């Protein structure tokens, strides 16, 4: 029998429900296609009645802070499912405090919402409350977020044909559906939808830009995003200042797109990462079967501190998740993030991800002229805070800001740089922004302060 909490949520979703995400055909080689625009607000709300609640749960993640999770079906396929999370301070157990300012978080590759924004809850290496979502909740914010469809695909899956049409269009529609659901749950089912800030990390930022581009065609009262925080991600690359990066993106697209067209719809870096770290935890000093000349521990450290070396076509030399220390080419430790914490986070990776959004992001970086995801960026006028890491995507993300219709006075930039220009490969990394020991003092307050008054 369902708990009273689940009955309450189910009753609400019978009226509100999750939005059905429209699906677009996979891109053809040399082209990327999708629907011209998202459904309007009335269409989203109307489709809510077709949604079905699969699960609702609550758990305490830190003292006075709870996480609510709502798993809903958004399509007819087995894995056409998203989970909307809420991390919020409670007045009493099961009763969120009212009046908190909302924000909606979108994860990137490898990790879902919990691995990206609540990783400390599953680790004994750091205090339980050392997660970005918990930090924001303590700053009197009502934190919402999403698990994209691929997060729900189990490790035992062998047939991935259901991912054929999953792409940026699919995920942007799911994000909008999640934001509608979050707004409706906040207002207990009232018909009005409150726009809220959107924060996207990594690929999540690319999805966020796609959402903004799609919403630019809608009337103001149908838009769901009122401010945007892209974290360490480029959406377009400047053809004059990022020549090498565009060339690498084009090469990556030429490699990946034909694979997709041949029937490969899944990318399994998460599965590889899980195997790599499992060996590092169990047999740290044994020779790695995956990286010749390294131990299992060193191989796992290399994945974090020299991530670009594991990428078939690295966009940026020196790109890494977490800044590290080296003896020659051998990694010896981490500079900014606790090593055990990194390994615990790696073990929270999802085994599989759809390939569609990766192909389309490469096409955007390559500068393909036939794009449905950046043609209206000049109409986007929401306030924007770009947050970057010098050892991650860093200032490559600035070129996208110039494409927006947002006025300069409403664009803020914060790039974390701890070392000199020549030490990019050792500097603050892509994941250090959320995992570093000093992120709570150095990075998160800047974001929280901006979100309080974007």
């Amino acid at each position: 029998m369902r708990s009273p909490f689940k009955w309450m949520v189910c009753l609400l979703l019978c009226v509100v429900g999750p939005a059905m995400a429209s699906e677009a055909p996979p891109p053809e080689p040399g082209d990327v296609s999708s629907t011209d625009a998202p459904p309007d607000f009335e269409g989203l709300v109307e489709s809510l009645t077709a949604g079905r609640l699969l699960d609702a749960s609550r758990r305490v993640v830190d003292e006075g802070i709870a996480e609510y999770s709502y798993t809903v079906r958004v399509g007819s396929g087995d894995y056409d499912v998203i989970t909307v999370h809420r991390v919020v301070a409670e007045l009493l157990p099961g009763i969120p405090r009212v009046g908190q300012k909302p924000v909606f978080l979108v994860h990137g590759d490898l990790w879902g919402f919990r691995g990206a924004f609540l990783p400390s809850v599953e680790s004994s290496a750091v205090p339980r409350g050392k997660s970005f979502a918990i930090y924001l909740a303590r700053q009197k914010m009502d934190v919402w977020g999403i698990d994209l469809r691929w997060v729900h695909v189990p490790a035992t899956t062998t047939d991935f044909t259901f991912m054929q049409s999953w792409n940026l269009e699919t995920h942007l529609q799911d994000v909008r559906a999640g934001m509608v659901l979050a707004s409706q749950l906040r207002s207990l089912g009232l018909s009005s939808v409150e726009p809220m800030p959107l924060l996207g990390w990594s690929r999540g930022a690319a999805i966020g830009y796609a959402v903004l581009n799609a919403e630019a065609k809608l009337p103001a009262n149908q838009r769901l995003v009122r401010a945007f925080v892209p974290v360490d991600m480029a959406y377009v690359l400047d053809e004059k200042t990022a020549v090498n990066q565009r060339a690498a993106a084009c090469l990556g697209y030429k490699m990946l797109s034909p694979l997709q067209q041949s029937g490969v719809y899944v990318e399994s870096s998460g599965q590889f990462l899980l195997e790599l770290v499992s060996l590092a935890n169990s047999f740290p000093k044994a020779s790695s079967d995956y990286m010749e000349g390294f131990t299992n521990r060193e191989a796992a450290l290399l994945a974090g501190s020299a991530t670009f070396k594991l990428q078939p076509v690295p966009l940026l030399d020196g790109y890494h998740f977490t800044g590290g220390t080296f003896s020659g080419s051998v990694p010896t430790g981490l500079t900014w993030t606790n090593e055990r914490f990194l390994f615990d986070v790696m073990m929270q990776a999802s085994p599989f991800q759809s390939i569609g959004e990766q192909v389309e992001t490469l096409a955007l970086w390559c500068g393909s002229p036939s794009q449905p995801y950046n043609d209206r960026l000049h109409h986007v006028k929401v306030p924007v805070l770009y947050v970057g890491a010098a050892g991650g995507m860093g200032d490559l993300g600035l070129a996208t800001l110039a494409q927006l219709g947002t006025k300069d006075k409403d664009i803020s930039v914060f790039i974390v740089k701890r070392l000199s220009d020549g030490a990019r490969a050792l500097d603050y990394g892509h994941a250090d922004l959320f995992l570093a020991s000093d992120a709570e003092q150095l990075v998160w307050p800047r974001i929280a302060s901006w979100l309080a008054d974007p």
Side-chain angles (χ1 to χ4, degrees):
M1 179 177 292
R2 293 194 180 195
S3 67
F5 168 71
K6 290 186 179 180
W7 274 115
M8 178 185 70
V9 175
C10 185
L11 180 62
L12 179 58
L13 291 183
C14 285
V15 178
V16 180
M20 298 286 289
S22 66
E23 296 187 353
E28 296 296 329
D31 187 26
V32 178
S33 60
S34 81
T35 55
D36 181 62
D40 60 14
F41 174 70
E42 286 79 6
L44 273 176
V45 173
E46 182 180 353
S47 69
L48 297 178
T49 57
R52 183 158 63 90
L53 176 69
L54 300 179
D55 187 45
S57 63
R58 169 190 173 271
R59 65 170 182 162
V60 175
V61 292
D62 200 26
E63 184 178 357
I65 307 289
E67 176 199 15
Y68 297 78
S69 299
Y70 312 95
T71 300
V72 292
R73 181 168 298 287
V74 290
S76 58
D78 290 343
Y79 302 113
D80 291 337
V81 172
I82 61 172
T83 297
V84 175
H85 298 265
R86 182 185 198 181
V87 180
V88 64
E90 292 187 308
L91 184 64
L92 293 170
I95 303 178
R97 289 185 177 275
V98 298
Q100 315 279 0
K101 290 187 176 181
V103 62
F104 197 93
L105 312 181
V106 185
H107 62 82
D109 297 344
L110 293 173
W111 296 282
F113 177 88
R114 289 177 173 176
F117 305 118
L118 277 179
S120 62
V121 177
E122 301 298 330
S123 175
S124 59
V126 296
R128 184 179 175 88
K130 191 173 175 57
S131 284
F132 181 62
I134 295 174
Y135 173 84
L136 291 182
R138 293 216 175 280
Q139 307 308 308
K140 300 182 179 180
M141 299 208 71
D142 190 358
V143 184
W144 295 81
I146 190 171
D147 283 334
L148 298 173
R149 299 184 187 201
W150 50 262
V151 175
H152 303 86
V153 179
T156 55
T157 306
T158 57
D159 183 354
F160 298 95
T161 52
F162 59 88
M163 288 186 177
Q164 181 176 359
S165 60
W166 291 8
N167 58 5
L168 283 175
E169 178 72 29
T170 308
H171 300 324
L172 81 84
Q173 296 292 359
D174 286 349
V175 167
R176 294 193 80 237
M179 295 184 77
V180 169
L181 178 58
S183 184
Q184 294 286 355
L185 288 170
R186 271 176 54 84
S187 64
L188 296 179
L190 297 178
S191 59
S192 62
V193 171
E194 173 191 12
M196 63 181 72
L198 177 68
L199 181 149
W201 176 32
S202 193
R203 190 86 57 186
I207 295 169
Y209 276 120
V211 170
L212 288 173
N213 187 76
E215 290 198 342
K217 191 174 182 180
L218 300 177
N221 63 355
Q222 295 180 11
R223 298 172 187 171
L224 305 175
V225 182
R226 70 176 183 85
F228 183 44
V229 183
V231 179
D232 207 46
M233 185 62 172
Y235 193 57
V236 297
L237 296 175
D238 186 85
E239 60 183 340
K240 295 180 179 180
T241 61
V243 177
N244 292 338
Q245 289 77 20
R246 280 172 64 104
C250 293
L251 179 59
Y253 178 76
K254 289 178 181 177
M255 291 173 57
L256 210 58
S257 182
L259 280 178
Q260 184 187 33
Q261 300 306 316
S262 69
V264 177
Y265 307 122
V266 66
E267 204 275 333
S268 54
S269 292
Q271 188 178 59
F272 168 74
L273 195 64
L274 289 167
E275 294 172 357
L276 199 68
V277 180
S278 179
L279 289 170
N281 287 333
S282 301
F283 309 103
K285 296 182 179 180
S287 297
S288 173
D289 293 333
Y290 294 98
M291 299 185 194
E292 186 177 355
F294 296 97
T295 66
N296 286 326
R297 171 181 172 265
E298 291 165 350
L301 281 174
L302 198 71
S305 58
T307 315
F308 72 103
K309 291 187 176 181
L310 277 66
Q311 297 171 331
V313 183
L315 187 74
L316 274 173
D317 285 338
Y319 171 90
H320 53 272
F321 286 153
T322 49
T325 56
F326 295 82
S327 175
S329 61
V330 178
T332 58
L334 300 179
T335 306
W336 321 107
T337 292
N338 179 293
E339 177 180 323
R340 176 50 48 192
F341 185 32
L342 174 65
F343 286 4
D344 288 345
V345 175
M346 286 178 168
M347 287 302 296
Q348 298 178 52
S350 298
F352 303 119
Q353 181 174 346
S354 48
I355 206 173
E357 65 271 17
Q358 301 186 27
V359 171
E360 291 181 331
T361 302
L362 287 168
L364 286 163
W365 287 342
C366 183
S368 174
S370 182
Q371 296 296 309
Y373 302 116
N374 63 353
D375 57 333
R376 292 186 290 272
L377 290 180
H378 59 288
H379 291 302
V380 173
K381 297 182 179 180
V382 302
V384 175
L385 168 65
Y386 175 74
V387 178
M393 296 295 282
D395 56 12
L396 265 188
L398 300 181
T400 312
L401 305 182
Q403 303 289 316
L404 303 177
T406 304
K407 296 180 180 178
D408 289 345
K409 68 180 180 65
D410 292 323
I411 293 179
S412 302
V413 175
F414 175 48
I415 297 179
V416 182
K417 181 178 180 181
R418 304 294 297 274
L419 304 176
S420 63
D421 290 343
R424 183 192 184 314
L426 305 176
D427 213 325
Y428 222 74
H430 185 68
D432 282 326
L433 294 167
F434 294 104
L435 304 182
S437 300
D438 63 357
E440 190 171 359
Q441 292 76 40
L442 179 63
V443 184
W444 303 349
R446 291 288 294 271
I447 298 175
S449 176
W450 189 87
L451 287 172
D453 187 22

